[in-house]
Amino acid sequence: MTKLSLVYQDLKQKIDENVYHTDELLPSESKLSALYGASRDTIRKALERLRNEGYIQSQKGRGSVVINHQQYVFPVSGVISYKELMGRLSLSSVTHLEDQQQVTLPDCFKTLDPHMKSDKAYTRLVRQRVVNDEPVIIDIDYVDPKIVPSISKEVAENSLYEYFEHDLHLHIAYAKKEITVEPATALDQKLLDLPDGSMVAVVRSVTSLDDTSTFQYTESRHRADRFRFQEFARRS
Amino acid sequence: MTKLSLVYQDLKQKIDENVYHTDELLPSESKLSALYGASRDTIRKALERLRNEGYIQSQKGRGSVVINHQQYVFPVSGVISYKELMGRLSLSSVTHLEDQQQVTLPDCFKTLDPHMKSDKAYTRLVRQRVVNDEPVIIDIDYVDPKIVPSISKEVAENSLYEYFEHDLHLHIAYAKKEITVEPATALDQKLLDLPDGSMVAVVRSVTSLDDTSTFQYTESRHRADRFRFQEFARRS
DNA sequence: GAGTGGTCTAGACCACCAT
DNA sequence: TGGTGGTCTAGACCACTCC
């Protein structure tokens, strides 16, 4: 753990637990510097992260104010696994692996990754996510078999990311995402229990590692009436 | 212009114009430092911005690689005005002011701002956005009249943000946003030319100033078939 | 005038990559 | 082994807010 992350984590936790509450000023940067035994620069880097995530707003000559930040709903941005998200939201859910086979990539990822290879073989997983006995999401993943040679049913029904990072020691770095609204397919209707003519919200992502190699394409199909994405953004 | 933004802007432009192309390494931090006459720390801050926006990926011991970053489509995050966006996409569009009156806030913003005042008067604008002779978005804005006393038809049909920042000297700082998919209302059907039973993608935002005061609530209603949001995200 | 955050600098040490 | 990015420090000056 770096000193930076320690300061960042601690401040975030204290804001979450209302040790510092909304509309209040944090201690000044020099006070935090003394408190944590870190240089002002290190403190400032921690504060910058909190600013970017919507925890605080800094004002020249005054200090850093705690913002009434959102309870998490479903973040658009953030490269986070379904399992991690369920944990943060304190929800429990069940995942069913519906299908696994070798295929080539569908064209629907072309807008996200114009240079994708459409002749290369990928491992395709179809998983259904059930919350409170209701199916709400279908995840269709395409994983590069050169990087991830095999995926067991247990892994698929628990967490791909845990497996990738913990067991395979892959360093997931970033993703490009896209949200659209589309007519439900026959598969959607079957697995999400939808009537004919329904719409679904589709989140497609292309995920890359540290070394910029793209290794996973995901299509996440949500029941439209359960879809709610939230986001914090700063004016640049 | 600070030195930091100069370096950042220049590097960004050079990546956009393929002076540095995809999968290539940027000059090292110490070389950039010499090139721009700036300290390594200033260079690093500029590179960090580029990392966060999906322009580069840095690798310890190697350097910073240019990532094949996305052509802009429609960013989810980012506090950006419709006019600015049309400029970036090189699209031209026409805005019609459909209605303006004093009202109280509707409840639909409660999930974004639980502490909103539902008894306070706001200026409500209804605007229709037309691209290529087709209506694609309805924007419904609620603006705090204590901060923005009046809005002319010219301003409403050009750009609210230009007016807020340029003329009123307001410092727009951040926004919370939410995306949902909802049935089209009668107004949607009329202004977006939609058949009965259609769905629309709705982006609601709550926008705040420098001093953390909330001054604008926006409901942006998109034709579902024209809705495509893109986003870059990093694993934290 | 005292205190605050914003910008910028110069220097140090480390872990990692390439050769 | 030399060069790279990652972390951390100490100090300087500025613009701003608040009293």
Side-chain angles (χ1 to χ4, degrees), chain B residues 21-63:
Chain B
H21 13 49
T22 303
D23 294 335
E24 238 184 39
L25 290 173
L26 290 185
S28 72
E29 294 178 352
S30 57
K31 276 176 195 153
L32 289 173
S33 175
L35 266 173
Y36 288 103
S39 70
R40 186 178 161 219
D41 206 58
T42 301
I43 299 295
R44 280 187 59 75
K45 279 172 188 153
L47 293 180
E48 203 196 359
R49 281 207 211 169
L50 295 171
R51 266 195 298 278
N52 288 335
E53 295 175 9
Y55 279 87
I56 61 173
Q57 170 71 19
S58 300
Q59 289 162 297
K60 206 190 284 190
R62 255 198 22 116

Side-chain angles (χ1 to χ4, degrees), chain A residues 68 165 176-177 235, chain B residues 68 84 176 178 231 235:
Chain A
N68 173 35
E165 294 186 321
K176 292 176 198 165
K177 303 192 156 200
R235 177 104 172 129
Chain B
N68 173 34
E84 289 163 352
K176 292 176 197 165
E178 180 179 273
E231 185 63 3
R235 175 104 173 127

Side-chain angles (χ1 to χ4, degrees), chain A residues 105-139:
Chain A
L105 282 182
D107 285 336
C108 59
F109 292 105
K110 270 261 164 65
T111 54
L112 271 180
D113 181 12
H115 304 306
M116 67 178 239
K117 298 243 158 101
S118 44
D119 53 347
K120 208 176 146 207
Y122 280 82
T123 307
R124 177 181 188 262
L125 301 177
V126 178
R127 295 179 294 167
Q128 178 200 45
R129 314 285 201 172
V130 180
V131 180
N132 295 332
D133 290 323
E134 262 188 336
V136 291
I137 303 177
I138 304 174
D139 273 348

Side-chain angles (χ1 to χ4, degrees), chain A residues 57-202:
Chain A
Q57 169 71 19
S58 300
Q59 289 162 293
K60 205 189 286 188
R62 264 201 79 212
S64 291
V65 189
V66 176
I67 290 177
N68 173 35
H69 67 283
Q70 216 42 45
Q71 277 301 31
Y72 259 106
V73 181
F74 212 118
V76 192
S77 81
V79 182
I80 182 173
S81 78
Y82 182 79
K83 189 182 177 189
E84 289 163 350
L85 188 58
M86 290 298 109
R88 273 217 256 183
L89 304 179
S90 309
L91 287 176
S92 66
S93 92
V94 177
T95 299
H96 297 296
L97 177 61
E98 300 286 332
D99 191 46
Q100 170 165 5
Q101 51 180 300
Q102 300 300 112
V103 299
T104 55
L105 282 182
D107 285 336
C108 59
F109 292 105
K110 270 261 164 65
T111 54
L112 271 180
D113 181 12
H115 304 306
M116 67 178 239
K117 298 243 158 101
S118 44
D119 53 347
K120 208 176 146 207
Y122 280 82
T123 307
R124 177 181 188 262
L125 301 177
V126 178
R127 295 179 294 167
Q128 178 200 45
R129 314 285 201 172
V130 180
V131 180
N132 295 332
D133 290 323
E134 262 188 336
V136 291
I137 303 177
I138 304 174
D139 273 348
I140 307 176
D141 287 278
Y142 302 82
V143 183
D144 187 338
K146 284 193 186 115
I147 294 175
V148 182
S150 80
I151 299 171
S152 71
K153 184 165 192 263
E154 286 65 41
V155 161
E157 298 197 334
N158 178 40
S159 171
L160 286 186
Y161 272 30
E162 214 169 282
Y163 177 61
F164 294 163
E165 294 186 321
H166 220 259
D167 300 332
L168 302 184
H169 303 290
L170 298 179
H171 300 290
I172 298 167
Y174 58 90
K176 292 176 198 165
K177 303 192 156 200
E178 180 178 273
I179 303 175
T180 55
V181 180
E182 304 178 12
T185 63
L187 186 68
D188 294 333
Q189 289 176 28
K190 183 180 143 211
L191 292 183
L192 294 179
D193 196 20
L194 295 173
D196 216 57
S198 303
M199 302 293 274
V200 292
V202 182

Side-chain angles (χ1 to χ4, degrees), chain B residues 55-89:
Chain B
Y55 279 87
I56 61 173
Q57 170 71 19
S58 300
Q59 289 162 297
K60 206 190 284 190
R62 255 198 22 116
S64 291
V65 189
V66 176
I67 290 177
N68 173 34
H69 67 283
Q70 215 41 47
Q71 278 298 32
Y72 261 105
V73 180
F74 213 119
V76 192
S77 80
V79 182
I80 183 174
S81 77
Y82 181 81
K83 189 182 177 189
E84 289 163 352
L85 188 59
M86 291 297 111
R88 275 216 255 182
L89 304 179

Side-chain angles (χ1 to χ4, degrees), chain A residues 50-57 67 69-70 75-77 230-235, chain B residues 76-79 173-177 206 231:
Chain A
L50 294 172
R51 266 194 298 278
N52 287 336
E53 296 176 7
Y55 278 86
I56 60 171
Q57 169 71 19
I67 290 177
H69 67 283
Q70 216 42 45
V76 192
S77 81
Q230 287 194 359
E231 184 64 3
F232 176 86
R234 290 203 159 270
R235 177 104 172 129
Chain B
V76 192
S77 80
V79 182
Y174 58 90
K176 292 176 197 165
K177 301 192 159 201
V206 177
E231 185 63 3

